[in-house]
């Protein structure tokens, strides 16, 4: 007689299909034809429509309206009209609606799960156990933040109308990530779902009606990229939140440049999955399954690059291949299916093309023996590519499919170098039983999310978002809320009026004026490359050019690593010392600005060792440490008003948080900034941490903005035309921009802008011994 173990091995699975009836009935109720959801009503389906099909079968599901400029206009107007009332409802009032949305999602979870599987092709096991529960979790969590906004974030105000554009890989989950925080904070939204997967958003719109959500708070306009572009271009939208490809993100960055719209971008990735020789290999294999075969690998944070220590490479890959043989590809509605359909033929073609390119470049391909799907739709088998080089196409490009590339490494240092060898920085997963090693590596990875001995864990309480070309901004957690509120205000008329004060004062002109100040680069006073000087009233300063900026960035980069790892305590001491030395030179500066600058330096020194980040309590058996990391090299365009205080108010928070700067002082009066050279030289500020290039702000900031080795550009109280060109140029490497209107922006905001949050997930249970 066969043993149970043998039976487990030889037993074949029968089908366990989830019924599609409920979802198909819902489509029938609507004649499988949909308009948009605007101002609380469904519009009549327009002339211009498109079809959405089931990728597993190729069969038509519904016809959906293609939103045009007029639809966007009406939706934005509805959102604008609804916004004051929604804000006036107060935190508790909004919390009640978010709670009602969460409850309705739970009540209709089966319908949502089936509809999502039909429209997207992802396995029902995932929509049922992951997507939809996380959607409900997001609304619950943000009901809490609505309730707490005014006590936890005093002074917070909503931004207004938010335009949101989402992709097709987690249609309803991305909707919840976008809508929940936005409306919790008192904004209203116009959301455009992806053209491949609009259906669950339309079902969600019905739920909004059912709970009596005030009209216009949530508007949903369906359509393709042109609809998205119209939303981005609409002048009455205050912010765009986008998730999707890096290419489209770049276009959006360019198109919003100079418009004053706030922007957050969650883009692509090529995330490393690192297995050290002392890892629990069986768990790590399951981790790989979650990392790259969840949702057919169509996940922005998919662990698509397996880095495995050479000593265990063969053993690990062998285990992995065996596991791959057991993965079941097929009908997404079958509860035993692991891998469903690819969202659309165009994506299938893209995956096939990239894998073929990899094989042509010499990769070995393994696709296991799992039977191919018999559904006849868009399927691609789980695939492992080995024998690849770090520079090959499949290692560098986001494939966005069930394709894993594997590379060996020898040492931990090599693992980090390989992991960071990408233009992206979204997520990373690392596996080792050695806690010292895991936390050491977690700190060194350039990624917004790091999972220790786990992978692809997502939760509303933890921030999610990338570094580098993976975009900027966070979704989830307290850090995600900052994307939807403002705490600083445009400069007052009085402050603007003070621009004239930028001109050199009598004090500032006393002494040393016979020589033209140089530039300050790498801790030294250097002559400008051009040899020219710039007239400022009847004085002169060195006129920096592109080459000087490049030298300054090089000096800043060289200093960045050491400054970032200097302790907060160490940085605080230097900032205090700077304040002390500034005071010694009181006669060189405007007395009022000097006094306030010293206060700012003290405040920044105070924060240097107190800006702690957070520990998030996520719903899984883990905690996440939300660690503010220094942004890196920041280019700073200082305001025209307050030539000293404006400079210090921008530069000091960056230094306090461990970033380094290339500052371009006020063009009207750069003299006080040049007086700082000697103060910096005598205050133990390491060479390269502060670099000052005087000259015409526009060309200098444009050079900084186009420079690939600069992580952020700040333009404080900059004129509109300057913002436009700098924002356009910044799209190259997706740098973070900060353009506060006030010449003396809010300190807390500056500290946030000087950092980026890395969320490190650590396995943890707080099971108490009683
Ligand atoms: P996409 O970036 O074109 O689409 C995402 C969303 O942006 C959709 O709603 C689309 O209609 C909209 N959109 C397209 N062009 C737009 C424009 N000019 N202005 C405003 N909105 C616009 O992504 P696509 O073409 O569906 O997929 C292509 C590749 O992008 C994938 O193979 C994958 O590599 C990547 N991708 C990454 C995602 C992520 O979560 N990071 C999600 C989806 C795709």
């Amino acid at each position: 007689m066969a043993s149970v173990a043998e039976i487990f091995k030889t037993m074949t699975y029968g089908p366990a299909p989830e019924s599609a009836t409920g979802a198909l009935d819902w489509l029938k109720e609507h004649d499988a034809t949909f308009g948009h959801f605007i101002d609380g009503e469904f519009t009549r389906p327009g002339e211009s429509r498109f079809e959405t099909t089931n990728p597993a079968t190729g069969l038509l599901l519904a016809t959906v309206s293609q939103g045009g400029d007029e639809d966007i206009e009406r939706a934005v107007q509805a959102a604008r009209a609804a916004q004051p009332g929604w804000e006036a409802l107060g935190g508790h009032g909004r919390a009640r609606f978010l709670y009602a949305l969460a409850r309705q999602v739970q009540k209709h979870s089966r319908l949502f799960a089936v509809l999502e599987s039909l429209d997207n092709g992802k396995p029902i096991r995932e929509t049922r156990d992951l997507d939809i529960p996380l959607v409900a979790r997001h609304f619950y969590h943000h009901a809490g933040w609505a309730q707490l906004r005014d006590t936890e974030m005093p002074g917070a105000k909503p931004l207004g109308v938010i335009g949101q554009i989402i992709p097709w890989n987690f249609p309803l989950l991305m909707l919840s990530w976008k809508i929940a925080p936005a409306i919790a904070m008192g904004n209203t939204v116009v959301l455009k779902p992806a053209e491949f997967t609009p259906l669950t958003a339309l079902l969600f719109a019905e739920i909004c009606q059912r709970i009596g959500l005030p009209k216009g708070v949530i508007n949903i306009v369906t359509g393709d990229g042109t609809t998205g572009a119209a939303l981005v271009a609409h002048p009455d939208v205050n912010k765009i939140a986008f998730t999707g490809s890096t290419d489209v993100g770049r276009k959006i960055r360019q198109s919003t440049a100079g418009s004053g719209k706030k922007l957050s971008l969650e883009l692509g990735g090529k995330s490393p999955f690192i297995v050290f020789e002392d890892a629990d290999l069986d768990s790590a294999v399951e981790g790989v399954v979650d990392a790259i075969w969840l949702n057919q690998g169509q996940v922005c944070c998919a662990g698509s690059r397996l880095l495995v220590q050479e000593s265990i490479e063969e053993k690990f890959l062998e285990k992995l291949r065996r596991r791959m043989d057991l993965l079941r590809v097929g009908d997404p509605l079958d509860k035993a299916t692991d891998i469903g359909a690819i969202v659309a033929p165009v994506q299938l073609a893209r995956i096939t093309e990239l894998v073929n390119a990899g094989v042509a470049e010499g990769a070995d391909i393994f696709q296991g023996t799992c039977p191919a799907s018999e559904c006849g739709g868009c399927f691609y088998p789980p695939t492992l590519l080995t024998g690849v080089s770090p520079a090959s196409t499949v290692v560098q490009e986001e494939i966005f499919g069930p394709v894993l590339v594997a590379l060996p490494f020898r040492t931990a240092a090599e693992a980090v170098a390989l992991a960071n060898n990408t233009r992206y920085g979204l997520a990373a997963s690392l596996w080792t039983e050695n806690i010292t090693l895991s936390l050491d590596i977690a700190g060194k990875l350039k990624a917004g999310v790091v999972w220790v001995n786990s992978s692809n864990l997502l939760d509303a309480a933890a921030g999610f978002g990338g570094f580098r070309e993976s975009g900027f901004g966070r979704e989830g957690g307290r850090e995600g809320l900052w994307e939807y509120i403002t705490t600083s205000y445009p400069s007052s008329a009085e402050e603007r009026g003070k621009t004239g004060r930028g001109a050199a004062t009598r004090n500032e002109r006393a002494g040393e004026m016979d020589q033209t100040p140089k530039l300050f680069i790498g801790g030294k006073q250097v002559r400008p490359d051009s040899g020219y000087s710039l007239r400022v009233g009847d004085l002169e300063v060195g006129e920096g050019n592109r080459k000087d900026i490049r030298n300054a960035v090089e000096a800043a980069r060289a200093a960045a690593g050491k400054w970032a790892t200097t302790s907060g305590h160490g940085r605080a001491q230097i900032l205090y010392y700077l304040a002390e030395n500034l005071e010694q030179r009181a006669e060189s500066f405007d007395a009022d600005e000097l006094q306030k600058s010293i206060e700012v330096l003290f405040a920044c020194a105070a924060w240097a060792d107190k800006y702690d980040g957070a520990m998030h309590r996520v719903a899984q058996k883990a905690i996440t440490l939300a660690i503010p990391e220094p942004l890196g090299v920041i280019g700073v365009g200082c305001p025209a008003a307050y030539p000293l205080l404006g400079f210090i108010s921008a530069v000091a928070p960056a230094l306090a948080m461990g970033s380094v700067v290339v500052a371009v002082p006020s063009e009207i009066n750069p003299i006080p900034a040049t007086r700082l050279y000697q103060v910096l030289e005598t205050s133990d500020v390491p060479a390269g941490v502060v670099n000052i290039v005087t000259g015409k702000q526009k060309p200098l900031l444009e050079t900084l903005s186009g420079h690939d080795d600069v992580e952020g550009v700040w333009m404080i109280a900059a004129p509109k035309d300057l913002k436009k060109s700098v924002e356009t140029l910044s799209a190259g490497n997706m740098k973070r921009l900060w353009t506060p209107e006030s010449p003396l922006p809010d300190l807390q905001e500056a500290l946030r802008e000087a950092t980026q949050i890395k969320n490190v997930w650590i396995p943890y249970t707080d099971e108490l011994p009683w």
Side-chain angles (χ1 to χ4, degrees):
M1 209 166 68
S3 71
V4 173
E6 280 164 352
I7 291 172
F8 263 116
K9 276 194 190 134
T10 53
M11 183 172 69
T12 53
Y13 288 83
E18 175 70 55
S19 163
T21 311
L24 296 177
D25 286 349
W26 180 77
L27 289 172
K28 253 192 236 143
E29 274 169 37
H30 292 268
D31 293 331
T33 309
F34 293 87
H36 309 293
F37 182 67
I38 298 176
D39 206 17
E41 309 287 342
F42 279 95
T43 62
R44 281 187 355 148
E47 296 274 290
S48 177
R49 298 179 196 178
F50 63 95
E51 293 181 343
T52 182
T53 52
N54 178 347
T57 60
L59 297 177
L60 176 70
L61 288 170
T63 307
V64 176
S65 298
Q66 164 67 29
D69 290 350
E70 279 176 23
D71 303 302
I72 292 291
E73 176 64 34
R74 288 193 42 231
V76 172
Q77 275 181 19
R80 175 63 63 204
Q83 198 273 327
W86 181 242
E87 161 72 349
L89 198 59
H92 177 63
R94 292 194 300 277
R96 294 176 75 96
F97 280 109
L98 278 133
Y99 170 72
L101 287 170
R103 290 287 299 129
Q104 285 291 322
V105 168
Q106 278 183 320
K107 265 193 195 162
H108 300 281
S109 56
R110 183 146 174 264
L111 176 58
F112 270 117
V114 175
L115 192 62
E116 195 80 304
S117 281
L118 287 173
D119 206 13
N120 169 280
K122 59 169 72 187
I124 186 74
R125 214 158 44 81
E126 288 178 14
T127 55
R128 184 194 61 193
D129 299 346
L130 190 99
D131 292 66
I132 310 304
L134 271 178
V135 170
R137 161 96 178 119
H138 237 78
F139 282 104
Y140 277 120
H141 183 77
H142 286 91
W145 280 125
Q147 180 80 35
L148 297 179
R149 188 196 82 181
D150 293 343
T151 46
E152 286 298 295
M153 297 168 152
K157 291 267 164 274
L159 300 174
V161 174
I162 316 291
Q164 306 186 312
I165 298 166
I166 55 171
W168 40 260
N169 51 350
F170 292 91
L172 194 69
L173 185 58
M174 287 302 108
L175 174 149
S176 70
W177 280 27
K178 293 277 179 289
I179 288 183
I183 65 171
M185 294 296 102
N187 303 280
T188 53
V189 304
V190 178
L191 176 129
K192 191 202 82 67
E195 53 271 47
F196 296 141
T197 54
L199 295 179
T200 44
L202 294 167
L203 174 59
F204 179 81
E206 260 187 23
I207 274 176
C208 296
Q209 277 183 324
R210 200 166 305 154
I211 63 159
L213 185 76
K215 292 181 175 200
V217 170
I218 294 174
N219 303 274
I220 291 172
V221 180
T222 50
D224 61 11
T226 58
T227 316
L231 181 55
V232 170
H234 196 289
D236 204 22
V237 168
N238 300 93
K239 176 195 162 112
I240 294 291
F242 171 79
T243 299
S245 61
T246 298
D247 286 348
V248 173
R250 192 166 279 128
K251 277 191 209 154
I252 292 178
R253 168 71 283 176
Q254 285 159 348
S255 115
T256 53
S259 67
K261 287 186 185 107
K262 208 173 144 110
L263 181 64
S264 52
L265 299 173
E266 202 269 272
L267 309 173
K270 190 79 185 175
S271 299
F273 186 106
I274 311 167
V275 186
F276 289 95
E277 60 190 359
D278 66 350
D280 171 345
L281 297 191
D282 293 319
S283 298
V285 166
E286 289 312 308
V288 173
V289 173
D290 288 340
I292 187 65
W293 292 306
L294 174 81
N295 198 15
Q296 296 69 249
Q298 303 168 127
V299 181
C300 51
C301 53
S304 51
R305 282 187 300 145
L306 171 64
L307 308 177
V308 53
Q309 198 149 18
E310 203 179 54
S311 51
I312 51 147
E313 184 190 9
E314 258 327 296
K315 187 172 166 196
F316 188 73
L317 292 181
E318 196 39 48
K319 278 178 183 282
L320 186 60
R321 290 191 190 101
R322 263 189 273 139
R323 182 68 178 87
M324 286 171 72
D325 282 342
L326 300 175
L327 291 170
R328 295 168 59 86
V329 183
D331 179 7
L333 284 187
D334 187 330
K335 289 171 207 138
T337 290
D338 297 305
I339 297 188
I342 302 297
V343 74
V346 56
Q347 283 298 121
L348 185 61
R350 184 183 144 81
I351 297 166
T352 311
E353 193 185 315
L354 278 164
V355 171
N356 290 346
V359 172
E361 285 177 24
D364 296 319
I365 184 166
F366 175 83
Q367 293 186 317
T369 54
C370 53
S373 162
E374 289 160 9
C375 302
C378 287
F379 290 88
Y380 198 88
T383 300
L384 171 67
L385 298 175
T386 49
V388 290
S389 78
S392 64
T393 312
V394 284
V395 175
Q396 291 298 325
E397 291 290 314
E398 183 179 44
I399 300 177
F400 227 63
V403 183
L404 178 69
V405 295
L407 295 150
F409 67 86
R410 283 196 181 153
T411 61
E414 200 190 336
V416 170
L418 278 171
N420 291 339
N421 180 26
T422 159
R423 61 200 168 105
Y424 298 114
L426 191 50
S429 172
L430 69 98
W431 294 74
T432 165
E433 293 297 291
N434 178 338
I435 187 170
T436 313
L437 180 66
S438 66
L439 297 180
D440 179 45
I441 301 297
K444 289 179 173 146
L445 294 172
K446 291 203 174 113
V449 183
V450 177
W451 291 289
V452 175
N453 290 335
S454 54
S455 177
N456 268 346
L457 296 178
L458 307 167
D459 188 59
F464 183 90
F467 292 4
R468 307 203 277 197
E469 289 188 39
S470 292
F472 43 79
R474 294 290 177 266
E475 299 188 287
R478 184 188 283 257
E479 55 262 41
L481 302 177
W482 297 112
E483 302 298 329
Y484 290 106
I485 52 175
T486 171
T487 49
S488 61
Y489 304 97
S491 52
S492 64
E494 191 208 359
E495 275 171 348
R496 282 186 203 283
K498 281 186 183 158
T499 311
R501 187 166 151 194
T505 64
R506 195 152 41 81
N507 268 356
E508 287 159 3
R509 294 166 63 169
E512 327 162 17
M513 277 301 116
D514 48 325
Q515 73 189 78
T516 302
K518 304 184 179 79
L519 314 178
F520 189 69
I521 296 176
K524 289 204 231 34
Q525 301 192 36
V526 296
R527 280 180 205 292
D529 169 68
S530 66
Y532 294 137
S533 47
L534 188 73
R535 281 207 80 75
V536 183
D538 52 355
L539 307 173
E540 290 190 333
V541 291
E543 181 170 1
N545 65 11
R546 282 163 191 277
K547 181 141 191 296
D548 298 308
I549 289 286
R550 283 199 291 267
N551 291 342
V553 172
E554 206 176 307
R557 173 60 60 205
K562 186 128 189 272
W563 185 245
T565 48
T566 300
S567 68
H569 172 66
R571 292 196 296 260
Q573 280 183 302
I574 289 175
L575 288 165
Y576 284 127
Y577 198 24
L578 205 57
E580 186 186 324
N581 284 327
L582 195 58
E583 195 154 47
Q584 301 274 322
R585 296 180 167 258
E587 77 289 350
S588 305
F589 300 102
D590 175 277
D592 186 39
E593 278 199 51
L594 177 79
Q595 193 47 44
K596 289 190 175 132
S597 298
I598 289 169
E599 282 175 33
V600 170
L601 285 166
F602 265 65
C604 291
W607 277 113
D609 66 349
K610 297 177 192 64
Y611 200 75
D612 289 336
M615 184 280 285
H616 293 310
R617 285 203 169 270
V618 289
Q620 292 87 343
K621 290 193 170 173
I623 47 170
T624 71
L625 304 182
I627 304 167
E629 287 195 351
L631 187 58
V633 177
I634 303 179
V636 180
C638 301
Y642 306 107
L644 175 68
L645 180 59
F647 182 100
I648 297 287
S649 299
V651 171
L655 300 191
M657 295 295 100
S659 284
V660 295
V661 299
V662 175
V664 181
S666 154
E667 197 174 308
I668 296 179
N669 183 8
I671 301 294
T674 65
R675 293 272 170 83
L676 288 171
Y677 298 172
Q678 281 166 338
V679 180
L680 289 163
E681 280 166 346
T682 52
S683 305
D684 293 345
V685 177
V689 167
V690 180
N691 304 277
I692 303 173
V693 180
T694 51
K696 296 205 175 93
Q697 277 200 330
K698 190 168 192 309
L700 298 180
L701 286 171
E702 283 176 352
T703 307
L704 276 167
S705 192
H707 199 302
D708 274 349
D709 214 15
V710 172
E711 276 87 11
V713 171
W714 295 0
M715 286 178 298
I716 317 289
K720 205 170 170 212
D721 63 322
L722 180 56
K723 279 193 208 168
K724 186 172 165 70
S725 64
V726 166
E727 287 180 0
T728 308
L729 285 162
S730 75
N733 72 343
M734 290 293 172
K735 19 180 105 55
R736 247 170 80 181
L737 290 180
W738 184 41
T739 57
E741 288 195 23
S742 166
L744 304 177
D746 178 53
L747 174 60
Q748 285 303 318
E749 196 175 329
L751 299 174
R752 279 200 301 278
E753 291 293 337
T755 50
Q756 52 191 347
I757 304 281
K758 175 189 268 181
N759 268 278
V760 179
W761 288 65
I762 298 175
Y764 189 83
T765 34
D766 30 20
E767 277 163 22
L768 298 169
W770 60 75

